[in-house]
Amino acid sequence: MSPAELRVISIIGVPEVRPGDDVGRVLVEAARKQGTALQDGDVLVVTQKIVSKAEGRTVRLSSVEPSALARSIAAQWGKDARHVEVVLRESKRVVRMDRGILICETKHGFVCANAGVDASNVAEADAVTVLPEDPDASAGAIRATVLSLTGVEVAVLVSDSFGRPWRLGTTNVAIGVAGMEPLIDYRGQRDAYGRQLQTSITALADELTSVAEVVARKADSVPATIVRGATYQRGQGSGKALLRDLSEDMFR
Amino acid sequence: MSPAELRVISIIGVPEVRPGDDVGRVLVEAARKQGTALQDGDVLVVTQKIVSKAEGRTVRLSSVEPSALARSIAAQWGKDARHVEVVLRESKRVVRMDRGILICETKHGFVCANAGVDASNVAEADAVTVLPEDPDASAGAIRATVLSLTGVEVAVLVSDSFGRPWRLGTTNVAIGVAGMEPLIDYRGQRDAYGRQLQTSITALADELTSVAEVVARKADSVPATIVRGATYQRGQGSGKALLRDLSEDMFR
């Protein structure tokens, strides 16, 4: 066995993405320009932010009429009622609400702060982005574009940074997946001592998006990263496969 | 700006670690043998498993006398009462208990399944490992050994894989930290459009341990990984700094 090695390369020089832009094409061109040709088996991690922008998933707060509930929540916590309104519209369920922080289950089933509604890294001063309507489809479209433009098969992960209970700080997770199985199921496999691994399912896709964030820092607005050398199972996996079923989750 | 690049290299060929072994020395020698000299600024991610083994944090189940509570829980869910007993001894508090899964807060304050007690990758058939007594001290000792043997300053993270609510699969987290600040606090910084980043604290140390797991798979028992090229703030950070304060956690 020789040491495994991974390379993680940020894609820089990506121009401002506008509604209707083809994210796959934009990234292939930016990668080419910096001399990083995509290779077969690469994992391309793309931030939700540029995907949402390209898909027109931006909401101008000036166009939002807040409901009574949104106004009441906003008044209580000194927030913008229109922002709260967008959060509520993106939500299927409010999981927790305290000190003005809304932890919501999005229509897709993701549980995160503000239902993924975010004001950072948006050009227009009164605009927020909301999550892509179908992040798996977004990932699939990027993957198809990369294949058609370069002839190489990559896996694509659409990433966002989510908080979590018990631990401080956000970590990146995969909300959209294309071309790979997002989980590694070790159950039934044996460890180096021949013992069966019991409860071992690893969220590989989430770990890969975390890798990406280590080189693509928030404030730098690096919208995509290539992870090269990762072993993964190619397949039809989805971001939804990373969601814990309601009936199996002790925390709902 | 040129593209940021990260290299992640697994350390292989690490011999079976025994109580009293110096983990820092073992890893420096294994890295040398494979031709990967540690460099200044590297992040050395070390799995909890070999740290616990070296520190004698292994419990033979044959030596454990289960309490009435442990026997009752075990009987209810078809588990080994001695294993349950070790879990309870490592816990400060049982957070959730359902279908035989114990989510516990460890004495350190980590919230995880079975209080970190784990039977995988242990040589003795009836033994389990428990978490290091003080994972920050463990990380600090490894860092000091690396410095004294090689003259280079690295950051050290002791990693374990934890489950989480809402999402399937475990991801690696840092339970011990030495030589770096584990969180990046973006609050007050501005994004590419000049907007203040609001609620942005990134759990960099957890993301770095996730990076490591992408190359160091469970079943391969690769006990350590070098992450090279990551930007981090050197400092006296600790694994405890990653714990969300009780008063600020909406999920306790």
Side-chain angles (χ1 to χ4, degrees), chain B residues 11-239:
Chain B
I11 301 182
I12 60 167
V14 177
E16 177 68 24
V17 168
R18 295 179 196 291
D21 281 355
D22 183 331
V23 171
R25 179 178 293 275
V26 167
L27 295 179
V28 164
E29 284 167 5
R32 265 189 197 143
K33 210 173 289 174
Q34 75 182 39
T36 320
L38 283 160
Q39 295 178 8
D40 194 80
D42 282 351
V43 180
L44 181 59
V45 181
V46 186
T47 60
Q48 159 271 327
K49 188 66 54 170
I50 62 162
V51 173
S52 291
K53 285 181 180 179
E55 295 180 356
R57 300 281 290 162
T58 302
V59 180
R60 302 294 291 251
L61 293 183
S62 52
S63 73
V64 175
E65 185 56 51
S67 62
L69 176 59
R71 280 199 301 270
S72 148
I73 294 170
Q76 201 176 343
W77 303 106
K79 305 192 77 161
D80 186 324
R82 301 165 307 169
H83 190 281
V84 174
E85 176 62 28
V86 180
V87 171
L88 295 178
R89 286 182 193 171
E90 291 296 312
S91 302
K92 188 156 71 180
R93 191 170 64 92
V94 176
V95 177
R96 297 279 194 291
M97 179 164 51
D98 192 16
R99 288 163 291 135
I101 302 166
L102 283 158
I103 310 286
C104 303
E105 181 176 345
T106 69
K107 287 175 186 161
H108 329 77
F110 302 120
V111 179
C112 57
N114 295 322
V117 176
D118 186 29
S120 67
N121 284 306
V122 186
E124 304 85 2
D126 81 327
V128 293
T129 53
V130 299
L131 296 185
E133 193 108 34
D134 180 349
D136 287 326
S138 310
I142 294 168
R143 183 170 183 273
T145 302
V146 170
L147 182 61
S148 84
L149 292 179
T150 67
V152 301
E153 280 210 46
V154 298
V156 174
L157 301 175
V158 176
S159 70
D160 198 5
S161 50
F162 282 7
R164 61 259 166 98
W166 309 320
R167 295 180 71 77
L168 276 178
T170 60
T171 60
N172 257 17
V173 299
I175 62 169
V177 174
M180 70 173 287
E181 295 301 337
L183 297 165
I184 308 174
D185 192 341
Y186 290 105
R187 288 172 303 181
Q189 289 191 41
R190 288 177 189 281
D191 66 20
Y193 305 92
R195 277 208 217 185
Q196 282 222 338
L197 291 164
Q198 298 272 319
T199 50
S200 298
I201 299 179
T202 297
L204 178 63
D206 287 348
E207 295 197 318
L208 284 162
T209 59
S210 286
V211 175
E213 205 189 16
V214 173
V215 299
R217 298 296 185 76
K218 256 186 225 314
D220 300 337
S221 74
V222 172
T225 308
I226 299 162
V227 183
R228 180 163 295 164
T231 305
Y232 59 87
Q233 197 184 327
R234 297 187 189 210
Q236 303 299 316
S238 70

Side-chain angles (χ1 to χ4, degrees), chain A:
Chain A
M1 190 166 86
S2 63
E5 183 166 339
L6 208 71
R7 287 177 66 203
V8 189
I9 308 150
S10 62
I11 301 182
I12 59 167
V14 176
E16 176 68 23
V17 168
R18 296 181 196 289
D21 282 354
D22 183 331
V23 171
R25 179 178 293 274
V26 166
L27 295 178
V28 165
E29 284 167 4
R32 264 189 198 144
K33 210 174 289 175
Q34 75 183 35
T36 320
L38 282 159
Q39 295 178 8
D40 193 79
D42 282 351
V43 180
L44 181 59
V45 182
V46 186
T47 60
Q48 158 273 324
K49 188 67 54 170
I50 62 161
V51 174
S52 291
K53 285 181 180 180
E55 295 179 358
R57 299 281 290 162
T58 303
V59 179
R60 303 295 292 251
L61 293 183
S62 52
S63 74
V64 175
E65 185 57 51
S67 64
L69 176 60
R71 280 199 301 267
S72 149
I73 294 170
Q76 200 175 344
W77 303 106
K79 305 192 77 159
D80 186 324
R82 302 166 306 171
H83 189 281
V84 174
E85 175 63 27
V86 180
V87 171
L88 295 178
R89 287 182 192 170
E90 291 296 311
S91 301
K92 188 155 71 180
R93 190 171 64 91
V94 176
V95 177
R96 298 279 194 290
M97 179 164 52
D98 193 17
R99 285 164 292 133
I101 302 166
L102 283 158
I103 310 286
C104 303
E105 181 176 346
T106 69
K107 288 175 185 161
H108 329 76
F110 303 120
V111 179
C112 57
N114 294 323
V117 177
D118 186 29
S120 66
N121 285 307
V122 187
E124 303 85 3
D126 79 327
V128 294
T129 54
V130 299
L131 296 185
E133 193 109 32
D134 181 348
D136 287 325
S138 310
I142 295 168
R143 183 169 183 273
T145 303
V146 170
L147 182 61
S148 84
L149 292 178
T150 67
V152 302
E153 279 210 47
V154 298
V156 174
L157 302 175
V158 176
S159 70
D160 198 4
S161 52
F162 282 7
R164 61 258 167 99
W166 310 321
R167 295 181 69 79
L168 276 178
T170 61
T171 60
N172 257 18
V173 300
I175 62 169
V177 175
M180 70 174 286
E181 294 302 336
L183 298 164
I184 308 175
D185 192 342
Y186 291 105
R187 288 172 303 179
Q189 288 190 42
R190 289 177 188 281
D191 65 20
Y193 305 92
R195 278 208 218 186
Q196 281 222 338
L197 291 164
Q198 298 271 319
T199 49
S200 299
I201 299 178
T202 297
L204 178 63
D206 287 349
E207 296 197 319
L208 284 163
T209 58
S210 285
V211 175
E213 204 188 16
V214 172
V215 300
R217 298 296 186 74
K218 259 186 222 313
D220 299 339
S221 74
V222 172
T225 308
I226 298 163
V227 183
R228 180 163 296 164
T231 305
Y232 59 87
Q233 198 185 326
R234 299 187 188 208
Q236 303 299 317
S238 70
K240 289 202 166 55
L242 285 156
L243 298 178
R244 203 177 273 279
D245 193 69
L246 181 60
S247 65
E248 287 180 6
D249 195 336
M250 303 199 276
F251 298 90
R252 301 221 184 192

